[in-house]
Amino acid sequence: MTQQVKHFIDGEFVAPTGDKLIPVTNPATQDVIAQVACATPSEMERAIESAKAAFKTWKEVPVSERARLMMRFAHLLKEHQADIADIICRELGKTVEDAKGDVWRGIEVVEQAANIPSLMMGETVENVARSIDTYSYIQPLGVCAGITPFNFPAMIPLWMFPMAIACGNTFILKPSEQDPMTVNKIAELFVQAGAPKGVLQVVHGAKEQVDAILHHPDIKAISFVGSVNVGQYIYKTGTDNLKRVQAFAGAKNHMVIMPDANKQQVINALVGASVGAAGQRCMAISVAVFVGAAADWIPEVAAAIGKVRPGVYTDPNAAYGPQISPQARARVLSLIEQGKKEGATCVLDGSDCKVDGYPNGNWVGPTVFSNVTTEMEIYKQEIFGPVLSTMHVASLDEALKVVNDSPYGNGTSIFTASGAAARKYQHEVEVGQVGINIPIPVPLPFFSFTGWKGSFYGDQHAYGKQAVRFYTETKTITARWFDDDIQVSGPNMSINLR
C-alpha cells in the first residue's frame, strides 16, 4: 500500500480526510513513493485554531526556555542528518552530499534561533526628560505561516519556523506537495526536542491551501519562497489582506569573470555553481559574463562542465540528480531549443541525456551556450536547470550594466585578483548578495538572506536580525514614577515631556 503523508495538527500526526490526492514520485524512476492529501477546509481551520490557542501560552514562555528548545532541536537534527538526507534523496533526487548540505544549512539557522535571547533585546534610555525613562520590548506577532518550495525541503522550512517560534510565535507550515515527507520528519524531531502541542502545524496541499492561509484573519505574517509569478501573487494577496509578507521569488544570477582571475578557480566555481543540484537553486549561477580576454576560457569551461554527469543518489559518482518532475524537464528542454532557435551557440547540449538503468528519469545533461544576448529567452527566464549561458563584454562597466539591467537581484559574484575591481563591483552592482571569488554567496544565518529587485517582495528578509524584526513588533514604553514628596504642578497643555 502506498504511504499516506499525514498532516501534523494540534501536536499529533493525523491521517488526512481529504480525497484530493497528489502522488509523490521518485524523479529518477517515476515510481509513486507516497500520496499526499490536500488539507480540507476543516483541517486547515483546526490547524490555525490550534496555533492560535497555543500562542496564548507559548508567548509567555521565557525566552531562555525557547532558546533551549532550539538547542535540543539542533542536536537532534545533527543526529538525524543522514536520515533526513535519505528522504530528500528519495523524493527529490538530490545526491547524498547535496542533501546533507541542504539539512546542514538549515541546522545553522536553528543554531542562530538558539541565540534568540540576545536577538530579542530591546532598547532603553534613562532620563529622556526629567525623571522620565523610555524603553522598548520586542514581542511576537501571533500565528505566522510559511509556504516553501520543492528544491530545499529541509533548509527553507528551517529558515522559517525556528526563528518565528523562537520569537514567541506559533507557526503553520505548508511545504511543497512534491516532496512533503522531509518536513514531516523534521516536525517529528521538533516534537522530540520538546516543542509544546500546537506551536508548529504542518498542513499539506496546493493552491487551495495557500489561499486559505492568505485569507485567514488569524494569520499575521507569511513567509514564502518560490517562483516569480507565485511570489507576486502571494505578496499582493497577503498584503491586500493586511498581512505582513516576505516573498522570495525568482533569480537570474550572474558571475563576472575578469581576465586577471585565476582560471582554474573560475572553471571549478562555474561547474559547481551552474549545474550543481541540477540547476534547481535560486542562487545558481546561470549567466557567466566574461570580460575581455577571459572569454578565451569559454571552451575550457564547457569542457569541464561536459565531464559532469547526472545520476541517481545511490551512485557515488553522480554529480547531480534529475529534475523534480517530467514537466520541469520538459520546460528546461524547451528553453534549450528556444536558445538554439534564437541564435545562441550551444557548445554543450545535454538535451538527450540518458542514465543507464533509469530510462524514465527526468534527466537533463549539462548544457552551455555562448554568444547569448539579453534579448534571448534563455537569458530572460529563470531556467532552473543545468544550463549555463555565457556572454562576452569588453569592460567591467559593460558587465555592470548587464547585471544592473536585469530585473532580478538575488545573487552575483565577481572573480578577480584586483581589489579595485572587486570594490567597484560590490559598490555599484544592484544585487542584494555579492560574492568576491565565491560563486554562490548565500550568507550564514547571523546575516540575512538579502535578495533585491524582482527577486524579493517585502521589507524584512529571511533569518538573521531581519527575521527577528519580521516576526515581531516593537512596544515602546515611556514611564515616570512620582516620589511621595514631589511638588505637583499644573496640567501640561503641550506635547513636550516635562
Side-chain angles (χ1 to χ4, degrees):
M1 182 177 177
T2 303
Q3 177 182 346
Q4 294 288 321
V5 179
K6 295 181 178 181
H7 306 298
F8 181 64
I9 299 175
D10 200 26
E12 60 183 357
F13 287 97
V14 297
T17 60
D19 56 4
K20 294 181 181 178
L21 301 177
I22 301 171
V24 180
T25 59
N26 180 330
T29 63
Q30 308 311 318
D31 294 340
V32 176
I33 57 177
Q35 284 187 324
V36 58
C38 296
T40 63
S42 63
E43 287 168 336
M44 292 294 298
E45 189 63 32
R46 182 184 169 209
I48 295 168
E49 283 298 315
S50 173
K52 184 179 178 182
F55 174 66
K56 295 177 182 178
T57 53
W58 179 245
K59 69 178 181 178
E60 303 297 341
V61 170
V63 66
S64 56
E65 290 187 28
R66 302 201 301 260
R68 284 191 286 271
L69 169 64
M70 295 304 159
M71 291 177 193
R72 295 191 298 269
F73 185 37
H75 176 72
L76 285 171
L77 288 169
K78 291 170 188 175
E79 279 192 338
H80 293 271
Q81 181 185 10
D83 300 332
I84 302 168
D86 181 69
I87 299 171
I88 295 172
C89 291
R90 287 188 285 117
E91 62 181 354
L92 177 53
K94 284 190 177 187
T95 63
V96 173
E97 181 183 8
D98 194 21
K100 286 183 176 179
D102 185 339
V103 181
W104 184 256
R105 292 308 296 263
I107 290 171
E108 290 176 327
V109 181
V110 180
E111 290 176 333
Q112 177 69 357
N115 193 37
I116 199 65
S118 61
L119 295 172
M120 291 284 286
M121 286 182 179
E123 298 173 319
T124 183
V125 174
E126 188 180 42
N127 282 337
V128 295
R130 188 172 298 279
S131 299
I132 297 176
D133 308 322
T134 297
Y135 44 97
S136 65
Y137 295 136
I138 296 174
Q139 297 185 337
L141 298 174
V143 181
C144 301
I147 301 160
T148 59
F150 75 85
N151 59 327
F152 285 95
M155 180 185 76
I156 294 179
L158 291 171
W159 277 10
M160 297 180 184
F161 79 82
M163 291 299 296
I165 290 172
C167 287
N169 302 285
T170 55
F171 206 85
I172 311 289
L173 181 62
K174 206 299 286 181
S176 171
E177 65 276 15
Q178 297 183 88
D179 47 9
M181 296 188 294
T182 299
V183 160
N184 274 24
K185 178 63 177 178
I186 290 171
E188 177 186 313
L189 295 176
F190 196 49
V191 172
Q192 289 182 30
K197 173 182 173 181
V199 168
L200 174 67
Q201 320 278 332
V202 180
V203 290
H204 298 286
K207 184 178 184 299
E208 182 180 347
Q209 289 66 40
V210 169
D211 284 338
I213 289 170
L214 292 172
H215 290 279
H216 201 287
D218 289 331
I219 292 177
K220 305 302 181 184
I222 298 170
S223 303
F224 167 81
V225 178
S227 66
V228 174
N229 291 340
V230 179
Q232 291 175 343
Y233 171 77
I234 283 176
Y235 183 73
K236 290 176 181 177
T237 308
T239 53
D240 282 349
N241 282 283
L242 306 180
K243 301 183 188 304
R244 188 176 292 186
V245 181
Q246 55 176 199
F248 298 84
K252 197 73 179 180
N253 305 315
H254 302 72
M255 179 193 288
V256 172
I257 300 102
M258 300 298 290
D260 63 358
N262 182 292
K263 181 172 68 173
Q264 193 56 54
Q265 289 176 350
V266 167
I267 292 171
N268 291 343
L270 275 175
V271 171
S274 62
V275 303
Q280 297 176 128
R281 293 191 284 214
C282 67
M283 288 292 285
I285 294 295
S286 54
V287 182
V289 183
F290 290 84
V291 178
D296 295 340
W297 305 346
I298 293 176
E300 293 176 76
V301 169
I305 293 176
K307 295 177 182 178
V308 170
R309 65 178 185 85
V312 295
Y313 74 94
T314 53
D315 178 359
N317 296 314
Y320 64 86
Q323 302 301 119
I324 183 63
S325 67
Q327 295 79 13
R329 175 179 180 271
R331 180 180 178 275
V332 174
L333 295 181
S334 71
L335 283 166
I336 292 173
E337 289 306 306
Q338 181 79 0
K340 296 173 187 175
K341 291 176 182 177
E342 290 179 327
T345 303
C346 190
V347 296
L348 179 66
D349 190 351
S351 299
D352 195 30
C353 178
K354 293 180 174 59
V355 173
D356 290 342
Y358 296 88
N360 298 321
N362 307 320
W363 309 112
V364 178
T367 300
V368 178
F369 282 98
S370 63
N371 301 314
V372 173
T373 68
T374 57
E375 292 78 26
M376 296 176 179
E377 289 301 308
I378 56 168
Y379 176 81
K380 292 190 289 185
Q381 293 201 39
E382 184 179 27
I383 299 175
F384 228 57
V387 181
L388 176 67
S389 296
T390 67
M391 308 173 70
H392 178 210
V393 298
S395 67
L396 178 57
D397 284 330
E398 287 185 46
L400 274 162
K401 185 176 188 318
V402 169
V403 178
N404 288 344
D405 284 349
S406 170
Y408 302 111
N410 218 27
T412 188
S413 64
I414 182 170
F415 272 64
T416 181
S418 167
R423 173 65 172 76
K424 175 182 175 69
Y425 191 76
Q426 74 176 37
H427 181 67
E428 296 184 16
V429 75
E430 296 169 7
V431 175
Q433 298 169 113
V434 182
I436 297 173
N437 298 318
I438 292 173
I440 300 179
V442 177
L444 289 171
F446 28 86
F447 291 91
S448 297
F449 187 95
T450 53
W452 283 12
K453 298 195 289 189
S455 295
F456 176 71
Y457 301 95
D459 299 303
Q460 302 290 348
H461 293 81
Y463 58 78
K465 293 179 181 178
Q466 291 197 32
V468 175
R469 290 196 289 269
F470 179 76
Y471 290 122
T472 60
E473 289 277 22
T474 300
K475 179 181 289 183
T476 306
I477 300 101
T478 301
R480 173 166 56 192
W481 295 95
F482 296 104
D483 293 329
D484 291 342
D485 59 351
I486 194 168
Q487 183 72 33
V488 179
S489 61
N492 180 4
M493 305 303 292
S494 76
I495 197 172
N496 294 330
L497 288 174
R498 62 171 186 259

